Amino acid sequence: MKSEQSQRLMERARRTCPGGIHSNVRANWQPTPMFYDRGQGSRVWDADGNEFIDYVLARGPLLLGHSPGPVIEAVKRQLDRGLMYAGQSVLEIEAAERFVKLVPCADLVRFSNSGSEAIHAAMRLARAVTGRTKIVRFEGHYHGWFDNAFWNYAPPLNQAGPRESPQPRPVSRGQVASDAENLIVLPWNDLALAERAFAAHGNAIAAVLTEPIMCNCGAIMPRPGYLEGLRELCTRHGSLLIFDEVITGFRVSLGGAQQYFGVTPDLATFAKGMAGGFPVSAVAGRREYMEEFGTLTVTHAGTYNSNPPCMAATRAALDMLSADDGALLKHAHAMGEQLMTGIKALGRAAGRDVHVRGVPTAFFVSFNDREEIVDYRTSTTRDRDAYGRFWTALQERGIRTIPEGLWFVSTAHTQADVDETLAAVKEAMGA
Ligand SMILES: Cc1ncc(COP(=O)(O)O)c(C=O)c1O
């Protein structure tokens, strides 16, 4: 695989940008953090002219593939009519109407730009409406990079503290240690430990914040009854249940993971997948809580919030997703299902101890798991070196996936893509 252009561009980028990248999450690509030239549908081309079937999908936002036609057309139409007014537009009403129709918990919605902002808003709102400060969060869950939320994402196990009560650990230098006073960190998927935390701190807990599927850390599914148990605990103790649906929203089902599992949170956050790749996020939830933003006593703000081109993209993307009873999403699930089944079968046929978990539009592949993967700590038993070799072999064969093991499938992936991918998987398993 050629990478000379990417390497040259990286050297040039480093002269004006720390590390040559504008998000630290993009650092871990080999042989170099790569530069891309264009994307269309399920395909992406890098600066060296290499073509890939893309299962990275910008780490999730391209649920409709690269540059989906109706979204691009809707944005183009708006571009000639103005970018922002610091005032309202009909587009944002139309986007919100479509949004609340699809999402079970969403009596009301507020739009912003990134998932991190939406999480920030949800945590603030939960604290405001309960008058409490503590947020229960789980080891290995990623809720964005803001100070309040960027804790215990991937702590080294020798610094993580006991499994039952993990030590709160900031991820980045520069975070404030005292923020830990307002966090209770728990292992995920263990209802007994959540019950214990509520027994000890129930009247101080503003909210439980959780990904309904632990996507970033292994596409780990909730154990039967776990989300229902968290729901019941929150209700009993007057705390809010917040689902971080930044990845699962509109992808797992049209109504997100809350619809898929039949568990309705009080608040939920959305981003990747709701606007065809444009930067839009949302915090949504029960009217009685969300109205607090409307009283102006709880601040949710942002110069770029609900800007018309992004609202045009949201309206068009939600229309595409809901058309024909969700036919596009059903197609993506069918493609993903074939990939999941095919990767498992090809791994076994090659004598590899391969594991495939999650849902067809967001699944995780790993090798040599030493125990059942149910939370962050068990997820660390997977063999990263083996996956790294598999990842490289796939990339060399024109299949682009996230280095850690997560695969996203879009509505633009075709049967031919799946067939080509599985042929490459077969070779890569052998390699
Ligand atoms: C589950 C989850 N929550 C929140 C975020 C933060 O979103 P953003 O990167 O748009 O700030 C991410 C990003 O990967 C995510 O996966």
Side-chain angles (χ1 to χ4, degrees), residues 23 25 58-61 113-119 141-146 149 153 209-216 244-248 269-272 279-281 406 408:
S23 166
V25 176
R59 287 190 176 256
N113 310 283
S114 67
S116 298
E117 287 170 82
I119 294 283
H141 287 216
Y142 181 63
H143 300 298
W145 64 285
F146 289 3
Y153 174 51
L209 170 61
T210 184
E211 285 183 81
I213 297 173
M214 197 167 165
C215 292
N216 289 296
D244 179 348
E245 297 232 42
V246 163
I247 289 182
T248 53
T269 57
F270 296 80
K272 304 180 177 189
V280 182
S281 66
L406 188 59
F408 286 114

Side-chain angles (χ1 to χ4, degrees), residues 63 99 102-103 248-254 256 270 274 318 329:
L63 175 58
F99 184 100
L102 290 173
V103 176
T248 53
F250 305 101
R251 184 186 316 272
V252 169
S253 76
L254 282 181
F270 296 80
M274 61 179 285
L318 296 184
L329 197 60

